[in-house]
Amino acid sequence: EPASSVAAGIPDFRTPGTGLYDNLQKYNLPEPTAVFDINFFRDNPAPFYQLARELFPGQYRPTPTHHFIRLLHEKGVLRRCFSQNIDSLETLAGLPKDKLVAAHGNFDSARCIETGEPVPIEEVKDAIFSEEEGGGWQALRDKYGGLVKPDITFFGEKLPDRFYQLVGIDLPGLASNVEPDFPACDLLIVMGTSLAVRPFSALVDMVPPTCPRLLINREVPGTALYHPIRALMGDTKGFRFDDEAHNYRDVLHLS
């Protein structure tokens, strides 16, 4: 539900003209997404440290959407909230951390990318808001023996283990005794997302075929719709909003 973060005042990434990716020229990047590319970060961490000032938690408040998710938990009907957001507003609204899967990580913790050593997030915050050139990342690098970043999933990095465990994707080395969430889902609510990034976008098809799916969005995400041509090739995934003859469970609310 990235759009819930936008409602909190946090700039989104992909909106033409106003998204962060369209307003990163000042960082002199080879391409906008490079600011979240792990290989670019290794070569030049300064742009991320500068951008992180705009994104760091504590500057924004949860929205009614975040409180709605907490209410679902309080009513005892929330199995899990899978979020692409990195702002931790769900837990700030009162959602217990065990009910949240931050698929792309967040600013709750940090570590050295060379050694894996955890780094207190307050030290990282001080470095991000440092007035030193580059945002103070050099001092952290020198102290911990390598570059330090919050536990946000960059392009080129694997998503958190907990994401794969609770989705039910087997990976070598992961505990297999974790009960996945999606087979037990009896209502899937999807809110405020472009559904443009895999594997997160594939989650809508992980629920049982009898599970109703509700999408609350500003627009219809074209990449996540069922397409009859793809179906001829065996790909029957996606929402069936436009397939009235066969749609028995998908509901779209544009808002």
Side-chain angles (χ1 to χ4, degrees):
E1 17 82 47
S4 60
S5 294
V6 175
I10 301 173
D12 72 354
F13 294 99
R14 293 181 172 81
T15 300
T18 60
L20 285 174
Y21 285 160
D22 265 9
N23 291 278
L24 291 173
Q25 297 90 343
K26 57 186 175 183
Y27 301 129
N28 195 28
L29 302 173
E31 56 186 12
T33 55
V35 73
F36 290 113
D37 184 284
I38 191 61
N39 294 319
F40 181 83
F41 179 81
R42 290 180 185 277
D43 292 335
N44 183 10
F48 171 76
Y49 270 72
Q50 294 166 7
L51 178 63
R53 292 187 181 192
E54 299 182 41
L55 302 176
F56 205 92
Q59 306 175 80
Y60 308 97
R61 306 301 301 172
T63 69
T65 298
H66 298 104
H67 290 289
F68 169 67
I69 297 169
R70 186 203 68 204
L71 180 63
L72 292 177
H73 162 67
E74 291 177 346
K75 295 293 185 180
V77 296
L78 180 69
R79 173 83 181 200
R80 204 84 58 189
C81 172
F82 284 76
S83 177
Q84 294 173 279
N85 296 337
I86 61 175
D87 49 46
S88 304
L89 288 180
E90 298 90 356
T91 52
L92 188 59
L95 185 70
K97 287 190 176 182
D98 68 298
K99 287 293 182 178
L100 175 68
V101 176
H104 295 161
N106 53 36
F107 287 89
D108 288 359
S109 58
R111 67 193 65 248
C112 172
I113 65 172
E114 301 300 335
T115 67
E117 178 184 355
V119 176
I121 193 62
E122 286 302 318
E123 289 190 32
V124 179
K125 180 180 180 180
D126 290 343
I128 287 172
F129 287 95
S130 169
E131 295 302 324
E132 297 179 26
E133 183 179 355
W137 60 267
Q138 299 98 328
L140 283 180
R141 178 197 58 195
D142 296 342
K143 179 177 180 179
Y144 289 98
L147 293 171
V148 172
K149 75 172 184 67
D151 288 330
I152 296 168
T153 306
F154 279 22
F155 295 109
E157 292 187 301
K158 182 171 69 71
L159 271 60
D161 289 347
R162 189 163 178 267
F163 171 84
Y164 294 103
Q165 290 173 318
L166 291 175
V167 168
I169 299 175
D170 292 328
L171 292 179
L174 284 187
S176 57
N177 60 344
V178 178
E179 181 182 359
D181 287 328
F182 286 85
C185 181
D186 56 14
L187 171 62
L188 179 69
I189 303 176
V190 184
M191 295 186 288
T193 174
S194 64
L195 290 174
V197 179
R198 296 183 69 88
F200 199 93
S201 61
L203 298 184
V204 300
D205 291 298
M206 302 288 285
V207 295
T210 55
C211 175
R213 303 184 298 186
L214 168 63
L215 174 63
I216 304 172
N217 225 25
R218 290 185 300 183
E219 58 190 11
V220 180
T223 57
L225 295 180
Y226 166 85
H227 196 282
I229 301 300
R230 293 201 306 266
L232 293 176
M233 297 180 285
D235 181 1
T236 59
K237 298 181 175 64
F239 289 112
R240 291 178 176 249
F241 304 128
D242 297 329
D243 185 16
E244 294 185 5
H246 301 95
N247 180 19
Y248 61 93
R249 62 168 177 161
D250 292 338
V251 177
L252 172 65
H253 177 73
L254 294 178
S255 173

